[in-house]
């Protein structure tokens, strides 16, 4: 296994940020690591990379224990933190050469040019980092994580704050890297995870609430399906209470969760007829990752 986490725990005062979690990632996998803000994603990633000491359990990278063989595991790991740390006064090649020197990369000049091409930095390679757009700054961060040719990549929110075009570009970079690297990356953009991953791990309040093949996870969500309905009239939530779990989105728009979306939609139509209500829109969310994510992270206490 490229990454093995066993009973990993991190406690800050009275708060358990990561609660005795375990998972493993095989060589060549691209795994999405999901969770709400404060769920424990970044803390877990920092412990795997050795930047934060755990309070219990252990993390292994390529079979070596991070806390015992820290230097060796860092050589095998490339890490892009959520807050991409760059030296803005340095030029792109200058910065990457500096990072190559830290890692004692042989023939560093050649390696710098290789990673510039790999992450699509060539058009901006002669600029200072401060002059780059956020998308290109993210590319520099990924290039720095790649400079020593690690076996494992840990990417914490690699597309955070990017525009749609930049997100697609960085997504393609990650997809290409996944052909030769093991990648664990976190993201709040669920469509991105669906496009890149076959497997997702979802963490909520420090606990792993799902670790599954994406398709299997979506199939498990069949137990609860979501329908969104908007009426022309304002109505009380009580009118819909018999249909399932109701969340008011506005005075006339509601999200309803029930076991069968098709049956639920028929019930809503009949309720509208019985109560002389006009439906503006009626949509089911299907079994998207978003529906699964909302279900798992909103019900765990």
């Amino acid at each position: 296994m490229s990454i093995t986490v066993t009973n990993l725990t991190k406690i800050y005062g009275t708060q358990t940020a990561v609660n005795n979690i375990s998972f493993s990632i095989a060589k060549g996998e691209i795994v999405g690591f999901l969770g709400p803000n404060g769920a424990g994603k970044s803390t877990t990633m920092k412990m795997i990379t050795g930047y934060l000491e755990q309070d219990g359990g252990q993390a292994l990278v390529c079979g070596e224990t991070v806390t015992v063989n820290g230097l060796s595991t860092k050589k095998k790991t490339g890490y892009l933190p959520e807050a991409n740390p760059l030296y803005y006064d340095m030029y792109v090649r200058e910065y990457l050469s500096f990072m190559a020197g830290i890692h004692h990369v042989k023939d560093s000049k050649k390696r710098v040019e290789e990673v510039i091409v790999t992450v699509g930095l060539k058009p901006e390679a002669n600029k200072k980092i401060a002059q780059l757009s956020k998308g290109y700054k993210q590319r520099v961060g990924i290039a720095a994580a790649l400079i020593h040719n690690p076996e494992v990549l840990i990417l914490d929110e690699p597309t955070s704050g990017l525009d749609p075009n930049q997100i697609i570009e960085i997504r393609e970079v990650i997809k290409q890297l996944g052909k030769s690297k093991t990648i664990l990356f976190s993201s709040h953009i669920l469509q991105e995870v669906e496009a890149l991953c076959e497997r997702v791990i979802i963490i909520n309040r420090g606990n792993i609430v799902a670790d599954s093949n994406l398709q299997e996870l979506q199939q498990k969500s069949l137990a609860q399906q979501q329908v969104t309905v908007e009426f022309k009239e304002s109505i009380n939530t009580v009118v819909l209470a018999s249909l399932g779990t109701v969340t008011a989105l506005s005075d006339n728009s509601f999200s309803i969760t029930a076991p069968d979306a098709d049956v639920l939609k028929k019930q809503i139509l009949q309720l509208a007829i019985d109560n002389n209500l006009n439906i503006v829109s009626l949509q089911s969310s299907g079994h998207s990752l978003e529906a699964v994510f909302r279900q798992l992270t909103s019900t765990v206490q």
Side-chain angles (χ1 to χ4, degrees):
M1 289 293 176
S2 293
I3 300 173
T4 303
V5 168
T6 307
N7 304 125
L8 202 61
T9 301
K10 184 63 183 178
I11 301 171
Y12 294 107
T14 59
Q15 180 186 1
T16 302
V18 176
N19 185 25
N20 198 39
I21 67 170
S22 300
F23 62 83
S24 59
I25 301 175
K27 184 176 181 180
E29 280 193 281
I30 302 179
V31 177
F33 195 35
L34 307 179
N37 289 331
K41 301 187 300 299
S42 294
T43 300
T44 300
M45 288 178 153
K46 287 175 183 176
M47 288 189 285
I48 294 172
T49 54
Y51 286 86
L52 184 66
E53 187 175 354
Q54 70 266 26
D55 292 314
Q58 63 180 6
L60 281 72
V61 173
C62 299
E64 296 186 87
T65 306
V66 172
T67 52
V68 176
N69 304 298
L71 185 59
S72 178
T73 57
K74 282 183 173 67
K75 289 179 179 179
K76 297 174 182 177
T77 306
Y79 177 41
L80 175 66
E82 183 179 5
N84 186 5
L86 300 171
Y87 292 112
Y88 282 14
D89 288 336
M90 297 179 79
Y91 288 88
V92 171
R93 284 190 174 88
E94 180 186 13
Y95 174 71
L96 294 176
S97 295
F98 169 69
M99 295 302 293
I102 290 174
H103 288 285
H104 304 290
V105 174
K106 294 180 181 179
D107 199 355
S108 61
K109 187 173 181 180
K110 179 182 177 182
R111 181 58 184 161
V112 166
E113 295 306 315
E114 286 175 349
V115 296
I116 283 174
V117 172
T118 297
V119 303
L121 265 173
K122 202 166 183 65
E124 306 291 305
N126 295 319
K127 291 184 178 180
K128 277 190 175 182
I129 293 173
Q131 297 174 308
L132 302 179
S133 68
K134 184 161 185 180
Y136 276 106
K137 285 173 182 164
Q138 288 297 89
R139 289 174 191 255
V140 174
I142 294 173
L146 281 173
I147 196 69
H148 56 299
N149 197 24
E151 297 175 47
V152 175
L153 277 178
I154 307 289
L155 308 176
D156 195 355
E157 300 284 351
T159 59
S160 176
L162 304 187
D163 67 39
N165 289 330
Q166 292 170 333
I167 288 171
I168 292 170
E169 291 166 1
I170 296 297
R171 181 190 300 169
E172 287 305 311
V173 170
I174 295 171
K175 187 181 293 185
Q176 291 302 313
L177 292 173
K179 294 178 180 179
S180 58
K181 310 286 183 189
T182 301
I183 300 177
L184 175 66
F185 80 98
S186 67
S187 178
H188 283 120
I189 305 170
L190 302 184
Q191 297 91 334
E192 178 177 285
V193 176
E194 288 179 304
L196 284 172
C197 305
E198 291 187 359
R199 176 184 167 200
V200 295
I201 298 171
I202 300 178
I203 186 171
N204 190 40
R205 301 187 182 185
N207 298 285
I208 299 293
V209 295
D211 180 357
S212 178
N213 176 283
L214 183 57
Q215 187 176 6
E216 292 175 355
L217 190 61
Q218 290 170 331
Q219 288 175 345
K220 289 177 182 178
S221 75
L222 288 169
Q224 291 294 315
Q225 300 177 35
Q226 198 171 64
V227 170
T228 302
V229 58
E230 181 182 353
F231 298 99
K232 186 176 180 180
E233 301 83 5
S234 297
I235 66 171
N236 193 304
T237 307
V238 176
V239 176
L240 305 170
S242 62
L243 302 180
T245 303
V246 182
T247 302
L249 305 176
S250 68
D251 289 341
N252 62 337
S253 181
F254 304 87
S255 173
I256 307 172
T257 303
D260 191 315
D262 291 333
V263 171
L264 178 57
K265 284 192 284 188
K266 291 177 182 177
Q267 291 174 331
I268 293 171
L269 290 170
Q270 187 59 53
L271 182 141
I273 293 170
D274 294 342
N275 291 273
N276 198 27
L277 298 170
N278 295 287
I279 295 176
V280 176
S281 67
L282 181 62
Q283 298 178 327
S284 57
S285 62
H287 313 301
S288 67
L289 182 56
E290 180 179 357
V292 178
F293 180 86
R294 286 173 60 86
Q295 179 185 337
L296 290 172
T297 59
S298 62
T299 57
V300 175
Q301 300 300 319

